[in-house]
Amino acid sequence: MNVLLDNSQLFIDGFKNTGILFIFSAFFSLILGTIVAGMRVSPAPAMRAAGTFYVNSVRNTPLTLILAFFALGYPKLGLPEISFMNAAIVGLSLYTATYVSEAIRSGINTVSVGQSEAARAIGLPFMQTLTLIVLPQAFRSVVPPLFSVFIALLKNTTVAAGFSVLEAGSIRATLSDLGEPLLPGLLWVALIFVLLVLGILSPLQRYLEKKWKVAR
Amino acid sequence: MTNPAHAPALVELKAVNKHYGALHVLQEINLEVAKGEVLVVIGPSGSGKSTLCRTINRLETIDTGSITIDGKELPKEGKQLANLRADVGMVFQSFNLFAHKTILENVTLGPIKVKGMSKPDADKLALSLLERVGVGHQAAKLPAQLSGGQQQRVAIARALAMKPKVMLFDEPTSALDPEMINEVLDVMVELAKEGMTMVVVTHEMGFARKAADRVIFMADGQIVEEATPEEFFTNPQTPRAKDFLSKILTNG
């Protein structure tokens, strides 16, 4: 307990940055992932190919490499400078979006083809068929896999600690520098992650599942 | 092909061919449907009758040939195709009401999103159509709360809300319990009487006799026989049609 109380500011700063990384990355990856899922079911072959290429290339790259690129490679490209924090958000979003996209695509496949046929039959173009008819029904069945993706994202934020972002994953290293015992620090970080998942993400998942329960 | 009303063809198929892999599911189909005509398409399963129906609003693509509606060739894709589909009402075997929307929203969606109608106008139109098909008091419910017959009548109202030039019915009563078939057929007979142009894939001989101007019998991707309902059911010409009719008559 002393490790936590004596270094409360360190824990607060660390988890605040974890929270920022998580919320922005979840938000952007949800948007990007939905767009990519839409591309992958689009009638235009070029869109499908681009979506598939993005998912296959980024999903199969280790997150560490993606973040390393934004932390170490990107600054050398001569493009506008971005902070390590923003770079981590971009990297995490691009990476997580591939998983979001696949979760949503699996949800799209659970919506019967008759739904989109009926939408097309009353004259809705592809985009409206997707956004008004298919996606609202797909989201209901993707809540569980989507939350798995977001829980993984929450934990993946710790990878950013390796690239100079002061967040929860870097608390342990800082504690070591301060001469605190290693194990209690680690356990506290792990416990707080568990509490974040059980206290925030899981209830949110239950709430959404209940709210969007499929009427059959 | 005969054109009993002697009106210009509203729907015209010329030398239409379609394959599913090795299966030649539509073979050189030529067909005209006049304005106001009610055409019943009948035939054994796998004869291509549903596919034929679905090509008319391009839910199925065709390999060769041409399909025109009101003199205009079916666009291949994009905005023009969507606009054309708005003019062609479709009723499916499995109803396909939008499961996450209320009955009222199912009917108003097309007028609001495709035709740009205001919500109050669309609601008014939808309620009058729902009233007409006998489910006005169900407007606030979700599709899953309605019986199959009620859902199918809503589906008809949804198609009518677009004020289509022609209505396609793809086995509209095949998924219904027997006691619900008539409530749907009654609505369709009313529509026919009001002069709606209809293409109806069905085995319901009662409907064909009551409402159809013409029956075509399909087998193996071809139109084998074409006649008035009375001629077709009492005096079929081809062995295939005789065989088919003897089967559905003994069964039903």
Side-chain angles (χ1 to χ4, degrees):
Chain A
M1 196 50 113
N2 280 341
V3 176
L4 181 67
L5 296 178
D6 293 349
N7 301 285
S8 54
Q9 198 55 45
L10 177 64
F11 275 88
I12 290 169
D13 288 346
F15 275 100
K16 194 183 89 187
N17 281 338
T18 295
I20 293 172
L21 276 179
F22 172 74
I23 288 171
F24 281 97
S25 304
F27 177 74
F28 290 125
S29 61
L30 186 60
I31 291 174
L32 181 60
T34 307
I35 293 171
V36 174
M39 287 168 70
R40 296 200 68 183
V41 296
S42 140
M47 297 279 264
R48 282 202 302 273
T52 307
F53 175 77
Y54 168 67
V55 169
N56 283 341
S57 53
V58 174
R59 188 170 57 156
N60 296 334
T61 308
L63 177 60
T64 321
L65 286 186
I66 293 175
L67 290 182
F69 166 78
F70 281 100
L72 310 171
Y74 179 85
K76 300 212 170 84
L77 294 177
L79 297 168
E81 257 181 59
I82 51 174
S83 69
F84 281 129
M85 184 74 166
N86 288 343
I89 289 174
V90 172
L92 281 167
S93 301
L94 287 176
Y95 178 78
T96 310
T98 60
Y99 292 90
V100 170
S101 150
E102 289 300 272
I104 289 177
R105 200 163 65 93
S106 74
I108 289 174
N109 290 337
T110 66
V111 180
S112 89
V113 65
Q115 294 284 307
S116 61
E117 283 186 350
R120 286 188 281 153
I122 58 169
L124 290 177
F126 169 74
M127 275 305 285
Q128 289 192 329
T129 299
L130 190 66
T131 55
L132 296 174
I133 304 302
V134 179
L135 282 179
Q137 297 186 63
F139 271 118
R140 300 168 169 193
S141 55
V142 301
V143 172
L146 211 49
F147 271 79
S148 292
V149 170
F150 286 144
I151 289 169
L153 168 65
L154 180 65
K155 296 182 292 178
N156 283 342
T157 55
T158 56
V159 178
F163 300 95
S164 316
V165 179
L166 182 82
E167 48 76 67
S170 62
I171 291 174
R172 184 213 42 88
T174 316
L175 285 176
S176 304
D177 291 347
L178 295 171
E180 296 277 7
L182 185 66
L183 194 58
L186 267 184
L187 286 176
W188 278 116
V189 171
L191 184 65
I192 294 174
F193 269 111
V194 171
L195 290 177
L196 284 178
V197 171
L198 291 182
I200 299 176
L201 288 180
S202 297
L204 185 61
Q205 172 178 351
R206 271 199 301 279
Y207 169 76
L208 290 177
E209 278 186 38
K210 216 171 145 186
K211 188 177 167 205
W212 289 339
K213 203 168 164 196
V214 182
R216 295 191 200 277
Chain B
M1 297 277 154
T2 56
N3 191 341
H6 295 292
L10 187 60
V11 179
E12 189 169 12
L13 286 81
K14 274 191 198 146
V16 169
N17 281 285
K18 180 180 176 68
H19 295 78
Y20 285 130
L23 181 68
H24 198 171
V25 64
L26 293 179
Q27 304 180 14
E28 288 289 311
I29 300 287
N30 290 292
L31 180 67
E32 286 184 2
V33 185
K35 194 171 179 339
E37 184 179 7
V38 177
L39 174 73
V40 160
V41 185
I42 202 166
S45 59
S47 60
K49 58 191 192 307
S50 276
T51 307
L52 175 75
C53 183
R54 289 162 57 88
T55 58
I56 298 175
N57 67 354
R58 212 175 156 82
L59 284 178
E60 299 281 353
T61 56
I62 57 174
D63 297 340
T64 58
S66 80
I67 300 178
T68 56
I69 294 189
D70 216 1
K72 276 179 287 194
E73 178 121 11
L74 274 188
K76 291 256 183 304
E77 56 196 14
K79 193 80 192 134
Q80 294 93 336
L81 178 59
N83 287 342
L84 177 126
R85 281 180 175 146
D87 283 342
V88 181
M90 176 103 191
V91 175
F92 300 86
Q93 180 176 352
S94 47
F95 329 136
N96 294 347
L97 293 182
F98 305 132
H100 61 308
K101 296 201 172 287
T102 65
I103 297 306
L104 186 68
E105 288 166 343
N106 262 277
V107 183
T108 57
L109 186 75
I112 292 174
K113 296 293 177 185
V114 179
K115 300 218 148 162
M117 195 182 275
S118 74
K119 192 174 172 336
D121 287 351
D123 283 352
K124 222 172 103 188
L125 170 70
L127 281 171
S128 74
L129 286 169
L130 288 172
E131 208 61 58
R132 182 168 145 197
V133 298
V135 286
H137 54 294
Q138 315 273 20
K141 291 187 179 168
L142 286 170
Q145 295 171 286
L146 269 58
S147 73
Q150 290 170 328
Q151 288 192 49
Q152 194 61 299
R153 286 183 281 151
V154 173
I156 294 172
R158 175 174 69 182
L160 288 176
M162 300 303 292
K163 303 209 170 18
K165 292 175 182 164
V166 52
M167 289 273 285
L168 309 174
F169 293 82
D170 185 6
E171 305 207 29
T173 57
S174 301
L176 292 174
D177 290 337
E179 76 267 26
M180 293 172 182
I181 290 176
N182 278 332
E183 63 190 54
V184 172
L185 291 180
D186 288 347
V187 171
M188 291 168 58
V189 170
E190 278 304 307
L191 263 184
K193 276 192 195 144
E194 287 162 25
M196 175 61 77
T197 309
M198 295 162 70
V199 175
V200 185
V201 176
T202 187
H203 290 165
E204 293 297 329
M205 289 198 300
F207 173 79
R209 281 207 151 106
K210 229 185 275 178
D213 297 305
R214 180 159 58 117
V215 173
I216 60 172
F217 174 74
M218 284 187 75
D220 301 327
Q222 292 170 320
I223 296 175
V224 177
E225 199 161 328
E226 177 178 11
T228 64
E230 212 45 51
E231 267 168 35
F232 178 73
F233 290 118
T234 53
N235 186 21
Q237 301 298 308
T238 60
R240 285 300 303 262
K242 280 177 192 160
D243 181 49
F244 177 77
L245 283 176
S246 72
K247 277 175 191 153
I248 64 167
L249 285 175
T250 47
N251 287 343

